[in-house]
Amino acid sequence: MATNARQALVVEDDSDISELVRIVLRAEDFAVDVAHDGQKGLEMAITKPYNLIILDLMLPTLDGWEICRRLRETAATRSTPIIMLTAKNEESDKVLGLQVGADDYLTKPFRPREFLARVHALLRRTTDYNQPDDTLHFGTLSIYPQSYQAFIEQKTVDLTPKEFELLLILARNAGRTLKREQLLEQVWGYEYPGSTRTIDEHIKRLRQKISQLEPGYTFVQTVWGVGYKLEVKENDN
């Protein structure tokens, strides 16, 4: 395997599933580490840089929700792409996974082709948009597509890859209302089989992170019954 292979961590206690994921990712030139319990997986994720983390929910010692929450609170892993992989199919479980910071959610059993579609969509970078890499400015908010960074004045907005991609799509269509279905298709890059609550949860986190740095303005507006748009509005005092 090439020495510059991308690094992936699979945290999954089912040995058959973890081996399947490992084989699929290795075929895509990933170097893959596997952890079979939550505590070990968290330690590995924090101590080694990964390009991708595949995280089961139901794990020994520490569940996937708690692992994801801690990773999003840690500077080194705050923006690492995370796909939750679980046998649970309840809508509430998916929403909670997105609330604690997961970028995507795949229910077992799954097909390798669908899994890879999720991986490729999640790891897209700005060159895939075929758009200029010029900096975008909206009041105190600056967006740098090439480096996948956003700032409020000089302060970094710590965004996950999917949060940034949502912000970038909205910014490149500033003032235009985009339907939830449009955002799912453009940001996830495939026909998403789940609920549009995925978009709502990511938008909620995106707003919270921006408002912590800029409480005076709202940048992402809700168009009730339709979707969202980027438009700078001053908040009422």
Side-chain angles (χ1 to χ4, degrees):
M1 183 176 296
T3 56
N4 61 347
R6 293 171 294 180
Q7 305 290 318
L9 173 64
V10 180
V11 188
E12 166 64 69
D13 63 330
D14 185 314
S15 58
D16 291 335
I17 296 294
S18 62
E19 181 62 12
L20 172 61
V21 173
R22 188 186 70 82
I23 291 171
V24 171
L25 289 176
R26 281 175 60 87
E28 295 293 309
D29 294 325
F30 278 89
V32 183
D33 293 333
V34 177
H36 294 295
D37 72 85
Q39 187 61 46
K40 179 64 174 177
L42 177 61
E43 293 170 0
M44 293 171 67
I46 291 175
T47 57
K48 180 178 178 179
Y50 289 99
N51 304 103
L52 174 69
I53 296 175
I54 309 299
L55 179 62
D56 190 26
L57 281 185
M58 308 305 293
L59 292 162
T61 69
L62 199 64
D63 66 47
W65 288 297
E66 180 63 17
I67 295 171
C68 189
R69 185 185 66 80
R70 295 191 192 183
L71 292 178
R72 290 309 185 218
E73 292 177 349
T74 302
T77 55
R78 189 171 290 136
S79 299
T80 303
I82 297 175
I83 296 178
M84 281 192 167
L85 190 66
T86 177
K88 299 180 75 66
N89 196 29
E90 294 295 328
E91 181 71 16
S92 59
D93 295 319
K94 295 182 179 182
V95 170
L96 181 56
L98 297 171
Q99 285 177 337
V100 296
D103 294 294
D104 206 348
Y105 194 114
L106 186 61
T107 302
K108 298 180 285 188
F110 61 88
R111 296 180 178 178
R113 181 176 295 179
E114 180 186 5
F115 171 72
L116 279 179
R118 304 288 183 100
V119 170
H120 290 317
L122 183 56
L123 296 180
R124 281 203 321 271
R125 285 300 181 256
T126 53
T127 52
D128 297 320
Y129 284 106
N130 296 316
Q131 297 277 357
D133 286 331
D134 296 337
T135 305
L136 302 168
H137 297 285
F138 301 91
T140 57
L141 173 65
S142 299
I143 303 168
Y144 294 82
Q146 191 168 20
S147 61
Y148 253 55
Q149 291 181 301
F151 296 88
I152 295 292
E153 295 181 338
Q154 302 301 315
K155 297 169 288 188
T156 301
V157 186
D158 290 316
L159 302 175
T160 67
K162 280 293 179 267
E163 291 165 1
F164 182 87
E165 290 183 18
L166 273 173
L167 178 62
L168 185 58
I169 288 294
L170 290 168
R172 284 176 169 162
N173 293 273
R176 174 189 171 196
T177 300
L178 297 180
K179 296 180 180 179
R180 291 172 174 83
E181 293 80 6
Q182 289 177 292
L183 291 169
L184 280 170
E185 181 180 353
Q186 291 188 53
V187 175
W188 269 257
Y190 57 88
E191 194 70 24
Y192 191 73
S195 168
T196 52
R197 285 289 299 274
T198 299
I199 291 294
D200 297 334
E201 292 300 329
H202 279 77
I203 291 289
K204 178 181 177 181
R205 296 204 315 266
L206 175 60
R207 281 174 168 159
Q208 288 173 340
K209 292 179 178 181
I210 293 176
S211 66
Q212 287 173 358
L213 301 176
E214 176 55 280
Y217 294 86
T218 299
F219 295 86
V220 179
Q221 312 299 330
T222 300
V223 180
W224 297 105
V226 183
Y228 299 97
K229 65 178 178 178
L230 193 144
E231 184 177 280
V232 183
K233 290 186 177 181
E234 187 173 5
N235 295 329
D236 295 331
N237 293 327

